[in-house]
Amino acid sequence: MKEILKITHLKKKYQTPTEEILALEDISFSVYPNEFISIIGPSGCGKSTILSILSGLTTPSFGTIELKNKCHLAYMLQEDALLPYKTVLENALLGLELSHNLTKENKDYVIHLLDTYGLGEFLNKYPNSLSGGMKQRCALIRTLALKPDILLLDEATSALDYQSSLAISNDIYNIIKKEGKTAIMVTHDISQAISMSDRIIVLTKRPAIIKEIIPIHLETESTPIENRKSKYFSKYYERIWRDLDVHI
Ligand code: ADP
Protein backbone atom coordinates (compact mmCIF):
# COMPACT_ATOMS: atom_id res chain seq x y z
CA MET A 1 0.00 0.00 0.00
CA LYS A 2 1.17 3.53 -0.78
CA GLU A 3 1.86 5.91 2.06
CA ILE A 4 -0.27 9.06 2.33
CA LEU A 5 2.20 10.95 4.45
CA LYS A 6 5.96 10.77 4.41
CA ILE A 7 8.12 12.61 6.92
CA THR A 8 11.84 12.70 6.21
CA HIS A 9 14.65 13.86 8.48
CA LEU A 10 12.54 16.27 10.49
CA LYS A 11 14.53 18.49 12.82
CA LYS A 12 13.28 21.29 15.05
CA LYS A 13 15.26 23.86 16.97
CA TYR A 14 13.40 26.45 19.07
CA GLN A 15 15.07 29.77 19.65
CA THR A 16 14.18 31.48 22.92
CA PRO A 17 15.64 34.82 24.03
CA THR A 18 18.10 32.97 26.27
CA GLU A 19 18.76 29.61 24.64
CA GLU A 20 18.39 27.32 21.69
CA ILE A 21 16.33 24.18 22.34
CA LEU A 22 16.85 21.24 20.02
CA ALA A 23 13.50 19.44 20.31
CA LEU A 24 13.69 17.01 17.36
CA GLU A 25 17.00 15.64 16.14
CA ASP A 26 16.01 13.49 13.17
CA ILE A 27 12.54 11.99 12.66
CA SER A 28 11.47 9.98 9.60
CA PHE A 29 8.37 7.85 9.20
CA SER A 30 5.52 7.12 6.78
CA VAL A 31 1.81 6.79 7.41
CA TYR A 32 -0.49 4.55 5.37
CA PRO A 33 -4.24 4.98 4.68
CA ASN A 34 -6.55 4.07 7.58
CA GLU A 35 -3.70 3.52 10.00
CA PHE A 36 -3.91 4.57 13.62
CA ILE A 37 -0.44 5.69 14.68
CA SER A 38 0.57 6.68 18.20
CA ILE A 39 3.63 8.70 19.09
CA ILE A 40 4.87 8.06 22.60
CA GLY A 41 7.94 9.33 24.43
CA PRO A 42 9.14 11.00 27.62
CA SER A 43 7.55 14.29 28.61
CA GLY A 44 9.13 17.23 26.75
CA CYS A 45 10.78 15.06 24.07
CA GLY A 46 9.07 16.75 21.14
CA LYS A 47 5.86 14.76 20.53
CA SER A 48 3.57 17.80 20.25
CA THR A 49 6.20 19.56 18.15
CA ILE A 50 5.72 16.88 15.47
CA LEU A 51 1.97 17.56 15.41
CA SER A 52 2.54 21.34 15.39
CA ILE A 53 4.80 20.97 12.36
CA LEU A 54 2.34 18.65 10.59
CA SER A 55 -0.53 21.06 11.19
CA GLY A 56 1.51 24.03 9.99
CA LEU A 57 1.51 25.82 13.36
CA THR A 58 5.30 25.80 13.39
CA THR A 59 7.94 25.29 10.72
CA PRO A 60 10.63 22.59 10.78
CA SER A 61 14.29 23.63 10.94
CA PHE A 62 15.11 20.86 8.48
CA GLY A 63 13.37 18.00 6.73
CA THR A 64 10.39 17.43 4.47
CA ILE A 65 6.74 16.51 4.82
CA GLU A 66 5.08 14.99 1.77
CA LEU A 67 1.31 14.65 1.69
CA LYS A 68 0.21 12.31 -1.08
CA ASN A 69 -2.95 12.52 -3.21
CA LYS A 70 -3.71 16.06 -2.04
CA CYS A 71 -4.84 14.63 1.27
CA HIS A 72 -5.19 17.07 4.12
CA LEU A 73 -4.75 17.09 7.87
CA ALA A 74 -6.77 18.52 10.72
CA TYR A 75 -5.75 19.02 14.33
CA MET A 76 -8.34 17.99 16.89
CA LEU A 77 -8.53 20.60 19.57
CA GLN A 78 -9.31 19.46 23.08
CA GLU A 79 -12.86 19.47 24.45
CA ASP A 80 -12.00 22.48 26.61
CA ALA A 81 -11.55 24.46 23.40
CA LEU A 82 -15.35 24.42 22.94
CA LEU A 83 -16.63 27.97 23.30
CA PRO A 84 -19.07 28.14 26.25
CA TYR A 85 -21.19 30.90 24.69
CA LYS A 86 -21.77 29.03 21.45
CA THR A 87 -24.22 26.13 21.06
CA VAL A 88 -23.10 22.59 20.28
CA LEU A 89 -23.98 23.10 16.61
CA GLU A 90 -22.21 26.47 16.45
CA ASN A 91 -19.13 24.93 18.06
CA ALA A 92 -19.17 22.02 15.63
CA LEU A 93 -19.43 24.48 12.71
CA LEU A 94 -16.63 26.72 13.96
CA GLY A 95 -13.83 25.20 11.86
CA LEU A 96 -15.94 25.47 8.71
CA GLU A 97 -16.84 29.06 9.56
CA LEU A 98 -13.23 30.07 10.20
CA SER A 99 -12.05 28.44 6.98
CA HIS A 100 -14.92 30.05 5.00
CA ASN A 101 -16.37 26.68 4.08
CA LEU A 102 -19.74 26.96 5.76
CA THR A 103 -21.93 25.79 2.87
CA LYS A 104 -25.41 24.27 3.30
CA GLU A 105 -23.99 20.89 2.28
CA ASN A 106 -21.23 21.07 4.91
CA LYS A 107 -23.68 22.19 7.57
CA ASP A 108 -25.97 19.25 6.75
CA TYR A 109 -22.97 16.93 7.02
CA VAL A 110 -22.16 18.28 10.50
CA ILE A 111 -25.77 17.85 11.64
CA HIS A 112 -25.65 14.31 10.27
CA LEU A 113 -22.46 13.60 12.25
CA LEU A 114 -23.94 15.10 15.45
CA ASP A 115 -27.07 12.96 14.97
CA THR A 116 -25.11 9.81 14.22
CA TYR A 117 -22.88 10.17 17.26
CA GLY A 118 -25.52 10.92 19.87
CA LEU A 119 -25.56 14.70 19.95
CA GLY A 120 -28.65 15.26 17.82
CA GLU A 121 -30.74 16.35 20.81
CA PHE A 122 -28.11 18.84 21.93
CA LEU A 123 -27.70 20.96 18.80
CA ASN A 124 -29.06 24.08 20.47
CA LYS A 125 -27.68 23.38 23.95
CA TYR A 126 -24.48 24.87 25.34
CA PRO A 127 -21.33 22.86 26.15
CA ASN A 128 -21.98 23.08 29.90
CA SER A 129 -24.94 20.74 29.46
CA LEU A 130 -22.72 18.02 27.92
CA SER A 131 -20.79 15.26 29.71
CA GLY A 132 -16.99 15.13 29.24
CA GLY A 133 -17.43 12.37 26.65
CA MET A 134 -20.01 14.36 24.70
CA LYS A 135 -17.76 17.43 24.70
CA GLN A 136 -14.91 15.34 23.32
CA ARG A 137 -17.22 13.93 20.64
CA CYS A 138 -18.29 17.47 19.72
CA ALA A 139 -14.63 18.50 19.44
CA LEU A 140 -13.99 15.46 17.22
CA ILE A 141 -16.99 16.28 14.99
CA ARG A 142 -15.75 19.87 14.67
CA THR A 143 -12.55 18.39 13.25
CA LEU A 144 -14.33 15.81 11.06
CA ALA A 145 -16.44 18.65 9.63
CA LEU A 146 -13.34 19.76 7.72
CA LYS A 147 -13.30 16.35 5.99
CA PRO A 148 -9.64 15.68 6.74
CA ASP A 149 -7.94 12.52 5.57
CA ILE A 150 -5.62 12.49 8.58
CA LEU A 151 -6.61 13.52 12.10
CA LEU A 152 -4.00 14.75 14.54
CA LEU A 153 -4.88 14.04 18.17
CA ASP A 154 -2.82 15.53 20.99
CA GLU A 155 -3.25 13.85 24.39
CA ALA A 156 -6.97 13.76 23.64
CA THR A 157 -7.95 12.25 26.98
CA SER A 158 -5.16 13.38 29.29
CA ALA A 159 -7.36 15.74 31.32
CA LEU A 160 -9.82 12.98 32.21
CA ASP A 161 -10.04 10.41 34.98
CA TYR A 162 -9.13 6.81 34.12
CA GLN A 163 -12.68 5.49 33.51
CA SER A 164 -13.66 8.43 31.32
CA SER A 165 -10.40 8.22 29.44
CA LEU A 166 -11.09 4.54 28.61
CA ALA A 167 -14.64 5.23 27.50
CA ILE A 168 -13.69 8.25 25.41
CA SER A 169 -10.71 6.53 23.79
CA ASN A 170 -13.15 3.82 22.73
CA ASP A 171 -15.56 6.39 21.41
CA ILE A 172 -12.96 8.37 19.47
CA TYR A 173 -11.46 5.20 18.04
CA ASN A 174 -14.83 3.85 16.85
CA ILE A 175 -15.80 7.13 15.20
CA ILE A 176 -12.44 7.46 13.45
CA LYS A 177 -12.65 3.87 12.15
CA LYS A 178 -16.28 4.23 11.09
CA GLU A 179 -15.52 7.44 9.20
CA GLY A 180 -12.55 5.72 7.50
CA LYS A 181 -9.94 8.21 8.73
CA THR A 182 -6.22 7.92 9.37
CA ALA A 183 -5.03 9.15 12.78
CA ILE A 184 -1.80 10.24 14.41
CA MET A 185 -2.13 10.50 18.18
CA VAL A 186 0.36 11.84 20.69
CA THR A 187 0.07 10.27 24.11
CA HIS A 188 2.10 9.51 27.21
CA ASP A 189 -0.22 6.61 28.09
CA ILE A 190 1.37 3.30 27.08
CA SER A 191 -1.85 1.27 27.49
CA GLN A 192 -3.88 3.76 25.49
CA ALA A 193 -1.32 3.62 22.68
CA ILE A 194 -1.28 -0.21 22.58
CA SER A 195 -5.05 -0.53 22.73
CA MET A 196 -5.71 1.90 19.85
CA SER A 197 -2.78 1.70 17.47
CA ASP A 198 -1.70 -0.19 14.39
CA ARG A 199 1.84 1.07 14.98
CA ILE A 200 3.52 2.91 17.84
CA ILE A 201 6.43 5.27 17.27
CA VAL A 202 8.57 5.40 20.39
CA LEU A 203 10.75 8.49 20.76
CA THR A 204 13.86 8.95 22.87
CA LYS A 205 14.21 11.83 25.28
CA ARG A 206 14.99 15.26 23.82
CA PRO A 207 16.45 15.83 21.28
CA ALA A 208 14.19 13.13 19.93
CA ILE A 209 15.05 10.45 17.45
CA ILE A 210 12.93 7.36 16.87
CA LYS A 211 13.87 4.59 19.26
CA GLU A 212 11.68 2.07 17.47
CA ILE A 213 8.48 1.69 15.49
CA ILE A 214 6.40 -1.17 16.85
CA PRO A 215 3.62 -2.78 14.78
CA ILE A 216 0.84 -3.90 17.13
CA HIS A 217 -0.85 -7.26 16.55
CA LEU A 218 -3.22 -8.08 19.38
CA GLU A 219 -5.23 -10.59 17.37
CA THR A 220 -8.45 -9.31 18.88
CA GLU A 221 -9.38 -6.83 16.10
CA SER A 222 -11.73 -5.23 18.52
CA THR A 223 -12.43 -2.05 20.44
CA PRO A 224 -9.67 -0.44 22.55
CA ILE A 225 -11.35 -1.65 25.76
CA GLU A 226 -11.50 -5.24 24.49
CA ASN A 227 -7.97 -4.98 23.09
CA ARG A 228 -6.65 -4.48 26.62
CA LYS A 229 -7.65 -8.09 27.38
CA SER A 230 -5.37 -9.51 24.66
CA LYS A 231 -2.77 -11.99 25.88
CA TYR A 232 -0.14 -10.04 23.92
CA PHE A 233 -0.91 -6.74 25.64
CA SER A 234 1.55 -7.03 28.52
CA LYS A 235 4.40 -8.05 26.20
CA TYR A 236 4.03 -4.78 24.30
CA TYR A 237 3.62 -2.85 27.54
CA GLU A 238 6.90 -4.18 28.96
CA ARG A 239 8.73 -3.51 25.70
CA ILE A 240 7.63 0.14 25.56
CA TRP A 241 8.23 0.64 29.29
CA ARG A 242 11.80 -0.59 28.76
CA ASP A 243 12.18 1.65 25.70
CA LEU A 244 11.09 4.69 27.65
CA ASP A 245 13.57 3.82 30.37
CA VAL A 246 11.32 5.31 33.05
CA HIS A 247 12.98 5.98 36.39
CA ILE A 248 10.80 6.51 39.43
P1 ADP B 1 6.17 16.84 24.39
O1 ADP B 1 4.91 17.01 23.57
O2 ADP B 1 6.89 15.58 24.07
O3 ADP B 1 5.92 16.98 25.87
P2 ADP B 1 6.96 19.37 23.15
O4 ADP B 1 6.97 19.09 21.71
O5 ADP B 1 5.81 20.11 23.72
O6 ADP B 1 7.20 18.01 23.98
O7 ADP B 1 8.29 20.20 23.53
C1 ADP B 1 9.60 19.72 23.24
C2 ADP B 1 10.62 20.69 23.81
O8 ADP B 1 10.56 21.92 23.09
C3 ADP B 1 10.38 21.03 25.27
O9 ADP B 1 11.64 21.18 25.90
C4 ADP B 1 9.67 22.37 25.22
O10 ADP B 1 9.94 23.14 26.36
C5 ADP B 1 10.27 23.00 23.97
N1 ADP B 1 9.32 23.88 23.29
C6 ADP B 1 8.10 23.56 22.80
N2 ADP B 1 7.51 24.61 22.21
C7 ADP B 1 8.38 25.65 22.33
C8 ADP B 1 8.37 27.01 21.91
N3 ADP B 1 7.33 27.53 21.23
N4 ADP B 1 9.45 27.79 22.20
C9 ADP B 1 10.50 27.27 22.86
N5 ADP B 1 10.59 25.99 23.27
C10 ADP B 1 9.55 25.18 23.01
PDB file of all heavy atoms in Angstrom, residues 14-16 21 23 41-50 154 186 206, ligand 1:
ATOM      1  N   TYR A  14      14.116  25.239  18.645  1.00  0.00           N
ATOM      2  CA  TYR A  14      13.405  26.446  19.067  1.00  0.00           C
ATOM      3  C   TYR A  14      14.434  27.458  19.537  1.00  0.00           C
ATOM      4  O   TYR A  14      15.406  27.099  20.209  1.00  0.00           O
ATOM      5  CB  TYR A  14      12.456  26.158  20.246  1.00  0.00           C
ATOM      6  CG  TYR A  14      11.227  25.352  19.896  1.00  0.00           C
ATOM      7  CD1 TYR A  14      11.119  24.011  20.282  1.00  0.00           C
ATOM      8  CD2 TYR A  14      10.169  25.916  19.206  1.00  0.00           C
ATOM      9  CE1 TYR A  14       9.989  23.267  19.988  1.00  0.00           C
ATOM     10  CE2 TYR A  14       9.028  25.181  18.898  1.00  0.00           C
ATOM     11  CZ  TYR A  14       8.948  23.862  19.300  1.00  0.00           C
ATOM     12  OH  TYR A  14       7.819  23.128  19.008  1.00  0.00           O
ATOM     13  N   GLN A  15      14.186  28.701  19.194  1.00  0.00           N
ATOM     14  CA  GLN A  15      15.075  29.770  19.650  1.00  0.00           C
ATOM     15  C   GLN A  15      14.326  30.590  20.689  1.00  0.00           C
ATOM     16  O   GLN A  15      13.290  31.169  20.389  1.00  0.00           O
ATOM     17  CB  GLN A  15      15.464  30.640  18.444  1.00  0.00           C
ATOM     18  CG  GLN A  15      16.501  31.690  18.728  1.00  0.00           C
ATOM     19  CD  GLN A  15      17.856  31.064  19.028  1.00  0.00           C
ATOM     20  OE1 GLN A  15      18.361  30.266  18.256  1.00  0.00           O
ATOM     21  NE2 GLN A  15      18.430  31.407  20.177  1.00  0.00           N
ATOM     22  N   THR A  16      14.790  30.610  21.914  1.00  0.00           N
ATOM     23  CA  THR A  16      14.177  31.482  22.916  1.00  0.00           C
ATOM     24  C   THR A  16      15.150  32.646  23.135  1.00  0.00           C
ATOM     25  O   THR A  16      16.295  32.588  22.677  1.00  0.00           O
ATOM     26  CB  THR A  16      13.934  30.733  24.249  1.00  0.00           C
ATOM     27  OG1 THR A  16      15.185  30.522  24.882  1.00  0.00           O
ATOM     28  CG2 THR A  16      13.240  29.395  24.041  1.00  0.00           C
ATOM     29  N   ILE A  21      16.776  25.500  21.875  1.00  0.00           N
ATOM     30  CA  ILE A  21      16.335  24.178  22.341  1.00  0.00           C
ATOM     31  C   ILE A  21      16.173  23.260  21.141  1.00  0.00           C
ATOM     32  O   ILE A  21      15.348  23.524  20.254  1.00  0.00           O
ATOM     33  CB  ILE A  21      14.994  24.274  23.112  1.00  0.00           C
ATOM     34  CG1 ILE A  21      15.162  25.144  24.361  1.00  0.00           C
ATOM     35  CG2 ILE A  21      14.466  22.900  23.483  1.00  0.00           C
ATOM     36  CD1 ILE A  21      13.860  25.506  25.036  1.00  0.00           C
ATOM     37  N   ALA A  23      14.589  20.330  19.889  1.00  0.00           N
ATOM     38  CA  ALA A  23      13.499  19.437  20.306  1.00  0.00           C
ATOM     39  C   ALA A  23      13.579  18.128  19.531  1.00  0.00           C
ATOM     40  O   ALA A  23      13.581  17.050  20.110  1.00  0.00           O
ATOM     41  CB  ALA A  23      12.155  20.120  20.093  1.00  0.00           C
ATOM     42  N   GLY A  41       6.555   8.992  24.063  1.00  0.00           N
ATOM     43  CA  GLY A  41       7.936   9.334  24.434  1.00  0.00           C
ATOM     44  C   GLY A  41       7.919  10.106  25.739  1.00  0.00           C
ATOM     45  O   GLY A  41       6.854  10.557  26.174  1.00  0.00           O
ATOM     46  N   PRO A  42       9.087  10.293  26.343  1.00  0.00           N
ATOM     47  CA  PRO A  42       9.139  11.004  27.616  1.00  0.00           C
ATOM     48  C   PRO A  42       8.591  12.424  27.492  1.00  0.00           C
ATOM     49  O   PRO A  42       8.651  13.018  26.405  1.00  0.00           O
ATOM     50  CB  PRO A  42      10.634  11.045  27.945  1.00  0.00           C
ATOM     51  CG  PRO A  42      11.291  10.088  27.023  1.00  0.00           C
ATOM     52  CD  PRO A  42      10.411   9.906  25.843  1.00  0.00           C
ATOM     53  N   SER A  43       8.085  12.939  28.592  1.00  0.00           N
ATOM     54  CA  SER A  43       7.545  14.294  28.607  1.00  0.00           C
ATOM     55  C   SER A  43       8.609  15.287  28.114  1.00  0.00           C
ATOM     56  O   SER A  43       9.774  15.206  28.491  1.00  0.00           O
ATOM     57  CB  SER A  43       7.119  14.597  30.042  1.00  0.00           C
ATOM     58  OG  SER A  43       6.706  15.906  30.132  1.00  0.00           O
ATOM     59  N   GLY A  44       8.216  16.200  27.242  1.00  0.00           N
ATOM     60  CA  GLY A  44       9.132  17.229  26.746  1.00  0.00           C
ATOM     61  C   GLY A  44      10.071  16.765  25.648  1.00  0.00           C
ATOM     62  O   GLY A  44      11.012  17.476  25.286  1.00  0.00           O
ATOM     63  N   CYS A  45       9.818  15.567  25.068  1.00  0.00           N
ATOM     64  CA  CYS A  45      10.777  15.057  24.070  1.00  0.00           C
ATOM     65  C   CYS A  45      10.504  15.591  22.668  1.00  0.00           C
ATOM     66  O   CYS A  45      11.335  15.446  21.776  1.00  0.00           O
ATOM     67  CB  CYS A  45      10.789  13.528  24.063  1.00  0.00           C
ATOM     68  SG  CYS A  45       9.364  12.806  23.244  1.00  0.00           S
ATOM     69  N   GLY A  46       9.332  16.191  22.465  1.00  0.00           N
ATOM     70  CA  GLY A  46       9.070  16.748  21.136  1.00  0.00           C
ATOM     71  C   GLY A  46       7.862  16.162  20.425  1.00  0.00           C
ATOM     72  O   GLY A  46       7.661  16.415  19.237  1.00  0.00           O
ATOM     73  N   LYS A  47       7.034  15.407  21.155  1.00  0.00           N
ATOM     74  CA  LYS A  47       5.863  14.762  20.531  1.00  0.00           C
ATOM     75  C   LYS A  47       4.920  15.806  19.916  1.00  0.00           C
ATOM     76  O   LYS A  47       4.546  15.723  18.750  1.00  0.00           O
ATOM     77  CB  LYS A  47       5.081  13.921  21.568  1.00  0.00           C
ATOM     78  CG  LYS A  47       5.892  12.832  22.229  1.00  0.00           C
ATOM     79  CD  LYS A  47       5.055  12.018  23.194  1.00  0.00           C
ATOM     80  CE  LYS A  47       4.652  12.728  24.485  1.00  0.00           C
ATOM     81  NZ  LYS A  47       5.782  13.148  25.338  1.00  0.00           N
ATOM     82  N   SER A  48       4.527  16.788  20.740  1.00  0.00           N
ATOM     83  CA  SER A  48       3.574  17.798  20.252  1.00  0.00           C
ATOM     84  C   SER A  48       4.192  18.640  19.157  1.00  0.00           C
ATOM     85  O   SER A  48       3.480  19.143  18.268  1.00  0.00           O
ATOM     86  CB  SER A  48       3.131  18.719  21.392  1.00  0.00           C
ATOM     87  OG  SER A  48       2.575  17.949  22.409  1.00  0.00           O
ATOM     88  N   THR A  49       5.516  18.795  19.207  1.00  0.00           N
ATOM     89  CA  THR A  49       6.204  19.559  18.154  1.00  0.00           C
ATOM     90  C   THR A  49       5.971  18.904  16.795  1.00  0.00           C
ATOM     91  O   THR A  49       5.759  19.598  15.803  1.00  0.00           O
ATOM     92  CB  THR A  49       7.708  19.656  18.478  1.00  0.00           C
ATOM     93  OG1 THR A  49       7.844  20.374  19.703  1.00  0.00           O
ATOM     94  CG2 THR A  49       8.478  20.346  17.382  1.00  0.00           C
ATOM     95  N   ILE A  50       5.970  17.570  16.758  1.00  0.00           N
ATOM     96  CA  ILE A  50       5.725  16.880  15.475  1.00  0.00           C
ATOM     97  C   ILE A  50       4.336  17.245  14.954  1.00  0.00           C
ATOM     98  O   ILE A  50       4.178  17.599  13.784  1.00  0.00           O
ATOM     99  CB  ILE A  50       5.873  15.341  15.631  1.00  0.00           C
ATOM    100  CG1 ILE A  50       7.310  14.988  16.030  1.00  0.00           C
ATOM    101  CG2 ILE A  50       5.457  14.619  14.349  1.00  0.00           C
ATOM    102  CD1 ILE A  50       7.554  13.508  16.290  1.00  0.00           C
ATOM    103  N   ASP A 154      -3.883  15.266  20.005  1.00  0.00           N
ATOM    104  CA  ASP A 154      -2.820  15.525  20.985  1.00  0.00           C
ATOM    105  C   ASP A 154      -3.323  15.274  22.400  1.00  0.00           C
ATOM    106  O   ASP A 154      -4.129  16.052  22.905  1.00  0.00           O
ATOM    107  CB  ASP A 154      -2.347  16.981  20.843  1.00  0.00           C
ATOM    108  CG  ASP A 154      -1.014  17.195  21.556  1.00  0.00           C
ATOM    109  OD1 ASP A 154      -0.554  16.282  22.268  1.00  0.00           O
ATOM    110  OD2 ASP A 154      -0.442  18.285  21.405  1.00  0.00           O
ATOM    111  N   VAL A 186      -0.732  11.697  19.734  1.00  0.00           N
ATOM    112  CA  VAL A 186       0.356  11.842  20.686  1.00  0.00           C
ATOM    113  C   VAL A 186      -0.184  11.478  22.060  1.00  0.00           C
ATOM    114  O   VAL A 186      -1.273  11.917  22.442  1.00  0.00           O
ATOM    115  CB  VAL A 186       0.845  13.312  20.674  1.00  0.00           C
ATOM    116  CG1 VAL A 186       1.525  13.667  21.968  1.00  0.00           C
ATOM    117  CG2 VAL A 186       1.772  13.541  19.501  1.00  0.00           C
ATOM    118  N   ARG A 206      14.535  14.143  24.648  1.00  0.00           N
ATOM    119  CA  ARG A 206      14.987  15.255  23.816  1.00  0.00           C
ATOM    120  C   ARG A 206      16.515  15.333  23.755  1.00  0.00           C
ATOM    121  O   ARG A 206      17.146  15.154  24.795  1.00  0.00           O
ATOM    122  CB  ARG A 206      14.417  16.549  24.426  1.00  0.00           C
ATOM    123  CG  ARG A 206      14.623  17.784  23.617  1.00  0.00           C
ATOM    124  CD  ARG A 206      13.855  18.930  24.222  1.00  0.00           C
ATOM    125  NE  ARG A 206      14.336  19.346  25.530  1.00  0.00           N
ATOM    126  CZ  ARG A 206      15.357  20.158  25.713  1.00  0.00           C
ATOM    127  NH1 ARG A 206      16.033  20.605  24.674  1.00  0.00           N
ATOM    128  NH2 ARG A 206      15.730  20.502  26.922  1.00  0.00           N
TER     129      ARG A 206
HETATM  130  P1  ADP B   1       6.166  16.841  24.394  1.00  0.00           P
HETATM  131  O1  ADP B   1       4.913  17.013  23.567  1.00  0.00           O
HETATM  132  O2  ADP B   1       6.893  15.576  24.073  1.00  0.00           O
HETATM  133  O3  ADP B   1       5.922  16.980  25.865  1.00  0.00           O
HETATM  134  P2  ADP B   1       6.963  19.369  23.154  1.00  0.00           P
HETATM  135  O4  ADP B   1       6.969  19.087  21.708  1.00  0.00           O
HETATM  136  O5  ADP B   1       5.806  20.111  23.717  1.00  0.00           O
HETATM  137  O6  ADP B   1       7.201  18.008  23.981  1.00  0.00           O
HETATM  138  O7  ADP B   1       8.294  20.197  23.531  1.00  0.00           O
HETATM  139  C1  ADP B   1       9.598  19.718  23.238  1.00  0.00           C
HETATM  140  C2  ADP B   1      10.618  20.689  23.812  1.00  0.00           C
HETATM  141  O8  ADP B   1      10.556  21.916  23.088  1.00  0.00           O
HETATM  142  C3  ADP B   1      10.381  21.034  25.272  1.00  0.00           C
HETATM  143  O9  ADP B   1      11.641  21.176  25.905  1.00  0.00           O
HETATM  144  C4  ADP B   1       9.666  22.366  25.216  1.00  0.00           C
HETATM  145  O10 ADP B   1       9.940  23.140  26.361  1.00  0.00           O
HETATM  146  C5  ADP B   1      10.273  22.995  23.970  1.00  0.00           C
HETATM  147  N1  ADP B   1       9.320  23.884  23.286  1.00  0.00           N
HETATM  148  C6  ADP B   1       8.102  23.560  22.801  1.00  0.00           C
HETATM  149  N2  ADP B   1       7.509  24.607  22.207  1.00  0.00           N
HETATM  150  C7  ADP B   1       8.378  25.653  22.326  1.00  0.00           C
HETATM  151  C8  ADP B   1       8.369  27.011  21.906  1.00  0.00           C
HETATM  152  N3  ADP B   1       7.330  27.528  21.231  1.00  0.00           N
HETATM  153  N4  ADP B   1       9.453  27.787  22.199  1.00  0.00           N
HETATM  154  C9  ADP B   1      10.502  27.267  22.856  1.00  0.00           C
HETATM  155  N5  ADP B   1      10.587  25.986  23.272  1.00  0.00           N
HETATM  156  C10 ADP B   1       9.548  25.178  23.013  1.00  0.00           C
END
